[in-house]
Amino acid sequence: MIKNYINGRLIEPVSEKYFDNFDPATGTVYGIIPDSDERDIELAVSAAEAAFNEWANLPVMARSKYLLKIASLIQRDLKEFARAECVDNGKPLSLARAVDIPRAVQNFEFFASAVHGFASEAHQTEDDAINYTLRSPIGIVGAISPWNLPLYLFTWKIAPALITGNCVIAKPSEVTPVTAFMLSEACIEAGLPAGVLNIVHGFGNKAGKAISSHPKIKAITFTGGTKTGAEIASIAAPMFKKISLELGGKNPNIIFADCNYDKMLETTLRSSFRNQGEICLCGSRIFIEKPLYEKFKNDFIVKVQELHIGDPLELDTDQGAIVSKQHLEKVLSYIQLAKEEGGTILCGGNRFVPEGRCENGWFIEPTVIEGLPYNCRTNQEEIFGPVVTLIPFETEDEVLLMANSTEYGLASTVWTENLSKAHRIASALETGIVWINCWMVRDLRTPFGGMKSSGVGREGGLEALRFFTEPKNVCVKL
Ligand code: NAD
């Protein structure tokens, strides 16, 4: 049974109420989740307040050791964490083992060491004054995360917040809470002081809202949908909270005819359908230069049809289950919309029913659509599932216009062997991240985040360490 982790202990929600947790691969209930509310958040805030001074004043090396200990415990139990992530989310076990859980370990390890290079700035003013910048923890911060990369994104927020001396109230998605609960067990085993990290489970509009509106929580780091981000911002902004918002996307994947074809084809398959297309960085609009269009289309469809959909626990599964029934219905409704907008379904397009234990699970065939204008709803709105569209283009100007036409600006991919063209396109794309001839190559030191409706602020490396600290300039007249 999942419990809240507050003040160093695993406890029941004040309401004593729970709601169901589903296994998306079988469509069955397999656990229950605390239905927390503002009373649980109040308990967490009191615990964090009590813990703050001691934690903030610990030598940074001591905080680092706690993070490294937590990392080593997740690493020790990697197989159990990966299995739990697979069952809770529906993602292939192989992916959880290779990406999700190793990255959660790295998040703790990375920030435990990155903090040592977080030097304070100094500015000499003329020759008679010197300024230096002190950076202190903000206090209590809130971290709210989504279901698609559950532990990966949860720890991406928690690790930098803790290392900079803040106490944290964190809420995982109510759709995928299990690995966050396992993290609380790891924190207890690591001896993390009580109240430093509090993990509260529950619904967004109750437990989540109680975090974003609590006056003693001074900063909110949020990853999730754009609509939710706007709601959080509307509560946090008048309270002058610091906010970091990592939101939705509708990422363009731009393929020029002079690309390294085999590398592009293999990577485009992954960037389209990895994690059932439920990665905010997946390229859902594939723009192909006209001379390559037919060849790409034919080869791509062959590859897509070879993908093995089914039981996420089977190690040869490429595409697992869609995270929830509600999300399954949303994705299917977009496939229907694509048809109504005049699109042709080249492959997929239907719910998939595996044989055996997953016959009642929530699966969708990987779907490729063509024949839609770039500005129709299917090509403008985030679907966040195994659905991509193919759009031909002739010129750089034309593809840039189409690529930049959505309200989103998270990530993009460009395929060309022409260096000048690659840099030219990268500079003109309105996205926070551009991958040239690759996809999802991540260096944790780089700024991560989106432009336009894809977010506010950046996380990662120094950006995260800056976000979680309050700078103070001290000017000394010599
Ligand atoms: P969501 O916005 O529904 O929920 C995200 C989190 O916010 C959950 O923990 C939820 O409980 C909480 N929440 C919901 N309503 C809230 C409220 N009113 N106040 C406070 N908290 C609230 O998003 P989701 O469906 O879990 O995740 C999918 C979305 O996340 C997609 O749009 C995807 O693009 C986005 N995403 C973005 C990134 C990025 O880095 N930019 C990464 C992953 C996912």
Side-chain angles (χ1 to χ4, degrees), residues 253 255 261-277 282-283 286 296 299-308 318-319 347 366 368 386 388 415 439:
N253 176 4
I255 301 169
Y261 188 78
D262 293 342
K263 202 166 123 197
M264 175 280 296
L265 191 63
E266 178 261 321
T267 310
T268 295
L269 193 68
R270 281 193 298 120
S271 67
S272 303
F273 298 114
R274 202 153 208 212
N275 204 41
Q276 301 72 247
C282 279
I286 308 180
F296 172 81
D299 293 347
F300 188 59
I301 291 168
V302 169
K303 290 253 179 212
V304 173
Q305 285 172 333
E306 283 168 7
L307 288 174
H308 183 215
D318 297 308
Q319 197 188 289
C347 68
V368 183
V388 294
W415 290 96
W439 176 72

Side-chain angles (χ1 to χ4, degrees), residues 378-400:
T378 308
N379 274 328
Q380 293 288 316
E381 297 176 15
E382 184 182 49
I383 300 174
F384 213 51
V387 180
V388 294
T389 57
L390 308 188
I391 306 162
F393 71 90
E394 282 184 84
T395 66
E396 283 181 30
D397 285 346
E398 183 193 11
V399 77
L400 280 170

Side-chain angles (χ1 to χ4, degrees), residues 89 102 125 201 248 435:
N89 170 278
T125 308
H201 296 270
W435 276 295

Side-chain angles (χ1 to χ4, degrees), residues 145 147 171 174 204 208 222-225 228 231 246-248 280 382:
S145 63
W147 49 254
K171 193 194 91 61
E174 65 274 29
F222 168 79
T223 299
T228 316
E231 208 176 312
E246 302 288 348
L247 309 175
C280 54
E382 184 182 49

Side-chain angles (χ1 to χ4, degrees), residues 133-442:
T133 309
L134 293 176
R135 288 185 184 272
S136 44
I138 297 172
I140 306 174
V141 305
I144 302 175
S145 63
W147 49 254
N148 64 324
L149 300 167
L151 193 65
Y152 173 131
L153 289 172
F154 200 53
T155 52
W156 176 237
K157 300 179 170 307
I158 289 170
L162 289 181
I163 199 66
T164 40
N166 300 283
C167 289
V168 180
I169 320 281
K171 193 194 91 61
S173 168
E174 65 274 29
V175 184
T176 52
V178 174
T179 50
F181 172 65
M182 292 169 74
L183 174 66
S184 43
E185 293 178 316
C187 291
I188 292 171
E189 189 178 340
L192 188 70
V196 165
L197 171 63
N198 303 275
I199 298 177
V200 184
H201 296 270
F203 291 112
N205 58 10
K206 215 191 259 183
K209 203 167 178 177
I211 292 176
S212 45
S213 53
H214 198 292
K216 287 186 176 164
I217 298 179
K218 296 294 179 197
I220 306 284
T221 164
F222 168 79
T223 299
T226 294
K227 218 170 133 233
T228 316
E231 208 176 312
I232 290 175
S234 73
I235 294 172
M239 299 172 86
F240 306 110
K241 294 184 187 211
K242 262 183 135 173
I243 48 172
S244 169
L245 304 174
E246 302 288 348
L247 309 175
K250 187 75 178 173
N251 307 314
N253 176 4
I254 301 174
I255 301 169
F256 286 96
D258 62 1
C259 66
N260 176 329
Y261 188 78
D262 293 342
K263 202 166 123 197
M264 175 280 296
L265 191 63
E266 178 261 321
T267 310
T268 295
L269 193 68
R270 281 193 298 120
S271 67
S272 303
F273 298 114
R274 202 153 208 212
N275 204 41
Q276 301 72 247
E278 297 165 338
I279 300 182
C280 54
L281 306 165
C282 279
S284 52
R285 295 177 295 149
I286 308 180
F287 297 99
I288 308 112
E289 203 172 9
K290 269 223 173 112
L292 198 64
Y293 187 85
E294 286 302 317
K295 175 174 168 52
F296 172 81
K297 174 171 120 179
N298 295 331
D299 293 347
F300 188 59
I301 291 168
V302 169
K303 290 253 179 212
V304 173
Q305 285 172 333
E306 283 168 7
L307 288 174
H308 183 215
I309 325 170
D311 191 339
L313 285 169
E314 300 286 338
L315 283 174
D316 64 345
T317 292
D318 297 308
Q319 197 188 289
I322 301 296
V323 74
S324 66
K325 186 158 186 284
Q326 189 191 14
H327 195 56
L328 174 102
E329 280 160 8
K330 176 187 157 183
V331 176
L332 289 174
S333 79
Y334 270 103
I335 295 173
Q336 181 57 32
L337 173 72
K339 289 183 199 159
E340 286 161 17
E341 288 185 318
T344 305
I345 311 289
L346 297 173
C347 68
N350 301 301
R351 190 170 170 171
F352 177 78
V353 183
E355 284 177 6
R357 82 168 193 107
C358 296
E359 64 180 359
N360 294 317
W362 303 317
F363 296 83
I364 295 181
E365 295 167 343
T367 299
V368 183
I369 305 169
E370 73 168 353
L372 286 169
Y374 78 91
N375 54 1
C376 68
R377 279 185 56 205
T378 308
N379 274 328
Q380 293 288 316
E381 297 176 15
E382 184 182 49
I383 300 174
F384 213 51
V387 180
V388 294
T389 57
L390 308 188
I391 306 162
F393 71 90
E394 282 184 84
T395 66
E396 283 181 30
D397 285 346
E398 183 193 11
V399 77
L400 280 170
L401 178 121
M402 296 193 288
N404 288 335
S405 67
T406 74
E407 66 164 310
Y408 297 107
L410 186 54
S412 52
T413 310
V414 182
W415 290 96
T416 174
E417 291 292 292
N418 179 327
L419 197 61
S420 307
K421 183 160 66 184
H423 289 302
R424 204 163 51 235
I425 299 283
S427 139
L429 280 167
E430 295 165 0
T431 59
I433 300 151
V434 181
W435 276 295
I436 297 172
N437 298 332
C438 61
W439 176 72
M440 234 183 136
V441 175
R442 291 280 295 115

